[in-house]
Amino acid sequence: MLWTQVAYFVTGLLGLGFLVLEVSEFARMLEIGAGPQRSAFLSAFFTLVGCHGLHVTVGLLWLGTMMAQFLAKGFRPDILRRATCFALFWHALDIIWVGIFTNVYLLGTSP
């Protein structure tokens, strides 16, 4: 139980750190006039990264819920099934983001 809670807590801190960096980056970009209305690239950037941030936000709420359920109910089969669903949600984000990153940032910079 302890190591599960520690791992979830560290995951939550990293997700929260990402959100703080994302919001500060968006704020800096908007300050210099690089908002989504400026170009198609920036529009896609704000949409893709913003959707990623929304997914992380939902994941953090779910993560907190799972931590509370583990503490309150332990490792019952129904709670473990929910944890598996959460893991699929969280890691699907990784897979999708690798595809988006490859297409937008790596392939998008080729001539």
Side-chain angles (χ1 to χ4, degrees):
M1 176 68 72
L2 174 66
W3 288 111
T4 299
Q5 295 291 17
V6 167
Y8 272 36
F9 184 75
V10 170
T11 300
L13 286 178
L14 292 171
L16 187 61
F18 167 80
L19 290 176
V20 168
L21 289 172
E22 182 178 321
V23 168
S24 65
E25 180 181 21
F26 278 8
R28 274 185 269 124
M29 290 176 74
L30 292 171
E31 282 177 13
I32 63 170
Q37 70 281 359
R38 186 166 178 188
S39 70
F41 173 80
L42 287 172
S43 180
F45 175 81
F46 273 83
T47 301
L48 290 171
V49 178
C51 284
H52 181 248
L54 177 63
H55 198 279
V56 171
T57 301
V58 170
L60 289 175
L61 293 171
W62 196 348
L63 183 135
T65 301
M66 290 308 308
M67 289 177 75
Q69 286 187 4
F70 281 138
L71 276 177
K73 300 177 182 180
F75 291 122
R76 295 186 341 206
D78 58 328
I79 304 301
L80 290 174
R81 183 176 37 82
R82 292 176 193 159
T84 300
C85 291
F86 167 69
L88 290 171
F89 173 85
W90 193 263
H91 293 297
L93 173 69
D94 298 334
I95 294 166
I96 292 167
W97 192 248
V98 166
I100 289 172
F101 180 81
T102 301
N103 285 305
V104 172
Y105 293 98
L106 300 179
L107 298 178
T109 60
S110 351

